[in-house]
Amino acid sequence: MHKIQLHARVPEEMADLRLDQALARLFPDYSRARLSQWIKAGDILLDGQVRRPRDRVLGGEAVVVDAAIEDVNPAFVAQAIDLDIVYEDDAILVLNKPQNLVVHPGAGNVDGTLLNALLHHCSQLATLPRAGIVHRLDKNTTGLMVVAKTLEAHHHLVAAMQARQIKREYEAIVHGVMTAGGTIDEPIGRHPVDRKRMAVVASGKPAVTHYRVLKRFRMHTWVRVQLETGRTHQIRVHMAQRRYPIVGDPVYGGRMRMPPNASPELRQCLQHFSRQALHAIQLGVPHPQTGEIMQWTAALPDDMQQLINALDQDMQESG
């Protein structure tokens, strides 16, 4: 456990605020939700007394925080797994995730994950929730991710994610020829029958995906996608819901579509594309310490670039 001990006095100008609201202003490095949990657990005293999050402050009270944050599960071991780090400083780390790498240990993947690699790269991450990981990419989605290296940075990045201040853009190759770009605003939740899948369901959480066409081919489209929200499998589910499933997607991809009289090269690419053709190509993050917007780009991986080349060549040869 990572101990947190803080002392402060409620300023007079905060009089009549809820206790959790006042504490969120006093201790901006910690989320209001976390502070509320500590209040309910009795880990925060106001003038020596346990209060409720909704209780109003008068101003002038002494605040004592004596709480703890659970470290990363000690069963998670540090493992020497290569990381493609594109940026790193004292607060954050940005990496380009390869395919076939699970982000967090779970059933069937107890180790060999990005989290295990991060613990080896930077041992201090063991004191952070999920080793500083604030968002995920699916196992076979490639591209950019940001990781917090301090508790303060983790709080700021989580808050920025919730406020939709982190810009995430992806590129994908989908089945079908799109006529134009657009926005998909459809809620996503667990599939009502297959609980391992996600689906567009009325009871799901709000999910918004913006997309635009980069290039059309005979039976496929290369698209740029921007996430406004971050639901599990969001792009994959939304594209499939619009009947433009991502090439190679083993869960939502449906039937493979092959252009008539396709070249041997294209047939080879499509038949052997072993993952969803989805790559997190651009990431924009407000730096936790300076507030400066920092941006990174990760070039398309070889398999997607080869598929685009084959689709382009096929279109040219078809006349």
Side-chain angles (χ1 to χ4, degrees), residues 267-301:
R267 286 184 175 277
Q268 176 80 4
C269 277
L270 287 172
Q271 289 171 350
H272 296 280
F273 206 89
S274 59
R275 67 178 185 97
Q276 59 269 12
L278 180 63
H279 176 69
I281 196 164
Q282 194 166 72
L283 178 69
V285 176
H287 194 278
Q289 293 175 335
T290 66
E292 175 191 0
I293 301 297
M294 304 184 72
Q295 293 196 24
W296 300 271
T297 300
L300 284 175

Side-chain angles (χ1 to χ4, degrees), residues 201-214:
V201 290
S203 60
K205 295 181 179 180
V208 180
T209 302
H210 307 283
Y211 62 95
R212 61 185 174 89
V213 173
L214 295 179

Side-chain angles (χ1 to χ4, degrees), residues 56-278:
R56 301 286 171 172
V57 298
L58 301 175
E61 298 99 325
V63 179
V64 176
V65 179
D66 187 2
I69 295 177
E70 186 175 350
D71 295 344
V72 169
N73 189 326
F76 297 158
V77 297
Q79 293 178 298
I81 300 170
D82 288 340
L83 292 173
D84 181 5
I85 296 173
V86 299
Y87 177 82
E88 184 173 12
D89 61 23
D90 292 339
I92 61 173
L93 178 156
V94 177
L95 59 95
N96 184 12
K97 190 186 86 66
Q99 63 172 301
N100 199 33
L101 180 64
V102 174
V103 169
H104 194 274
N109 296 283
V110 295
D111 59 11
T113 71
L114 175 62
L115 183 144
N116 301 108
L118 288 169
L119 292 177
H120 181 269
H121 175 75
C122 183
S123 60
Q124 73 189 53
L125 295 179
T127 65
L128 302 184
R130 297 186 180 275
I133 296 168
V134 296
H135 66 116
R136 299 189 185 192
L137 293 177
D138 296 333
K139 175 182 178 180
N140 281 317
T141 297
T142 56
L144 294 168
M145 292 181 59
V146 62
V147 176
K149 293 180 65 178
T150 67
L151 188 61
E152 294 78 14
H154 186 270
H155 167 65
H156 283 284
L157 290 177
V158 169
M161 187 74 70
Q162 292 172 343
R164 302 182 182 180
Q165 295 172 342
I166 293 181
K167 180 181 178 183
R168 291 170 292 162
E169 292 199 1
Y170 296 71
E171 289 190 5
I173 304 162
V174 302
H175 290 291
V177 182
M178 291 184 175
T179 56
T183 295
I184 305 172
D185 185 353
E186 298 282 358
I188 291 177
R190 289 288 171 188
H191 193 284
V193 177
D194 184 352
R195 305 300 291 175
K196 294 182 179 180
R197 301 177 60 185
M198 308 302 289
V200 169
V201 290
S203 60
K205 295 181 179 180
V208 180
T209 302
H210 307 283
Y211 62 95
R212 61 185 174 89
V213 173
L214 295 179
K215 192 163 188 176
R216 299 177 185 88
F217 305 103
R218 287 206 287 158
M219 293 187 67
H220 299 84
T221 308
W222 175 16
V223 295
R224 175 70 74 105
V225 180
Q226 183 174 347
L227 286 182
E228 192 170 314
T229 54
R231 306 304 174 204
T232 300
H233 299 173
Q234 179 172 321
I235 296 173
R236 299 165 63 188
V237 170
H238 271 172
M239 290 292 103
Q241 194 264 349
R242 286 290 173 94
R243 299 185 180 177
Y244 296 111
I246 295 175
V247 169
D249 192 328
V251 179
Y252 308 101
R255 180 178 58 86
M256 182 177 64
R257 304 179 197 179
M258 188 75 67
N261 302 314
S263 66
E265 292 78 12
L266 180 55
R267 286 184 175 277
Q268 176 80 4
C269 277
L270 287 172
Q271 289 171 350
H272 296 280
F273 206 89
S274 59
R275 67 178 185 97
Q276 59 269 12
L278 180 63

